[in-house]
Amino acid sequence: MHFDIFTLFPEVFTPYIAVSIIARARERGLAEIHLHNIRDWATDRHHVVDDEPYGGGGGMVMKPEPVFAAVESVLGSPPRAPVILLTPQGRLFTQAVARELAAFPRLALLCGRYEGVDERVRQHLVTDEISIGDYVLTGGELAALVVLDAVTRLLPGVLGDPDAPAKDSHANGLLEHPHYTRPPVFRGWEVPEVLRSGDHARIARWRHEQSLRRTWERRPDLLARAPLSEEDHALIARWEAERRADRG
Ligand code: SAM
């Protein structure tokens, strides 16, 4: 996967992409990350990239010329890859969107700053808009890192355990089961006996039940879209009956 990141602050990315899974993915040629400073395409003497908003009001707006010039000089016109604007007004980023993006060979991520980009960038250059949540960040760099990280994990060969993404939270519509490691007893708190039993069928059942219960307790909204078996529905019905009985 080839990522082109357009930003006014490329230095934000450098330390994050130099460690752990993303660094290994780059070393092994599975992810190529190219950072482009939009300011390099500002043609005036002071490399100005922002200007006051038409209509007045506070804040500055990113000018269209350097953004168009940056994206088109790297990706051509029209751009030969999806151009994704990070914006709190975009569609919400989820694991399903990460999977969708991981199928492309190349992606461009465009980071806004100030009040955002001139609307003509959104209308005539950008092909997708993504928000990482219902809050406002100072710039699109953190959001681009979130997208870059979640997508890179899904690329074939990136994770040591190729089945890991399929077991993570949100992969199958449920939250993942709890994890434990050594020691078996810590401050008197024991690791559940089943996990130490060596009985793989029992462990798998316990993990699935924990995953289902966690989702039911913490994110019941996810259950409506999760593929549940008859046994899952029966378990949920039992927990709901127990909850009603507890509440009297
Ligand atoms: N004035 C804009 C608005 O109300 O929609 C917010 C601008 S924000 C201060 C500056 C930049 O941060 C945005 O252009 C966008 O690139 C990025 N940003 C902020 N919140 C974001 C979010 N939740 N998801 C993705 N990008 C975000």
Side-chain angles (χ1 to χ4, degrees):
M1 163 76 82
H2 180 131
F3 293 95
D4 289 291
I5 299 178
F6 296 89
T7 169
L8 291 173
F9 297 97
E11 63 273 25
V12 168
F13 294 86
T14 319
Y16 194 79
I17 65 174
V19 297
S20 186
I21 286 171
I22 296 188
R24 282 206 302 278
R26 293 172 66 207
E27 280 156 22
R28 284 160 40 206
L30 301 170
E32 247 185 68
I33 302 169
H34 297 265
L35 302 172
H36 309 286
N37 191 336
I38 297 167
R39 201 175 292 280
D40 293 343
W41 279 271
T43 48
D44 66 299
R45 198 152 59 90
H46 299 292
H47 294 282
V48 173
V49 290
D50 58 320
D51 205 341
E52 291 165 356
Y54 273 112
M60 300 296 272
V61 177
M62 282 174 70
K63 290 162 67 61
E65 306 95 313
V67 177
F68 270 84
V71 173
E72 288 178 343
S73 79
V74 172
L75 291 163
S77 176
R80 49 181 173 270
V83 179
I84 301 171
L85 175 67
L86 284 314
T87 162
Q89 303 181 18
R91 63 184 174 131
L92 200 58
F93 189 58
T94 61
Q95 192 68 10
V97 176
R99 270 197 299 271
E100 184 193 312
L101 298 182
F104 287 101
R106 188 170 187 177
L107 287 179
L109 301 174
L110 174 56
C111 306
R113 278 270 156 177
Y114 319 118
E115 289 304 324
V117 293
D118 183 286
E119 184 65 4
R120 288 162 291 188
V121 170
R122 200 189 61 72
Q123 288 172 329
H124 304 292
L125 183 66
V126 160
T127 58
D128 196 356
E129 298 174 52
I130 285 181
S131 164
I132 61 159
D134 292 342
Y135 40 78
V136 175
L137 301 163
T138 307
E141 287 74 17
L142 283 176
L145 275 173
V146 166
V147 171
L148 172 77
D149 186 308
V151 171
T152 302
R153 288 174 62 76
L154 295 177
L155 301 177
V158 166
L159 295 184
D161 171 5
D163 297 332
K167 293 187 283 190
D168 278 336
S169 295
H170 302 293
N172 64 355
L174 299 178
L175 303 180
E176 202 188 21
H177 57 77
H179 294 279
Y180 292 87
T181 186
R182 278 183 283 268
V185 183
F186 171 68
R187 296 189 176 179
W189 301 310
E190 271 192 47
V191 173
E193 176 278 327
V194 57
L195 294 180
R196 291 175 287 144
S197 68
D199 181 339
H200 295 295
R202 249 180 92 211
I203 293 171
R205 257 198 322 278
W206 181 87
R207 285 182 166 162
H208 178 70
E209 195 173 315
Q210 290 288 319
S211 165
L212 189 63
R213 175 137 197 149
R214 285 209 150 180
T215 313
W216 174 71
E217 283 170 347
R218 297 170 186 217
R219 292 290 307 275
D221 57 302
L222 296 178
L223 290 176
R225 276 171 287 128
L228 302 181
S229 66
E230 275 183 30
E231 212 175 305
D232 294 336
H233 284 294
L235 271 173
I236 292 171
R238 198 180 85 205
W239 295 330
E240 278 170 354
E242 284 168 5
R243 185 188 269 171
R244 279 195 298 276
D246 282 350
R247 287 178 181 158

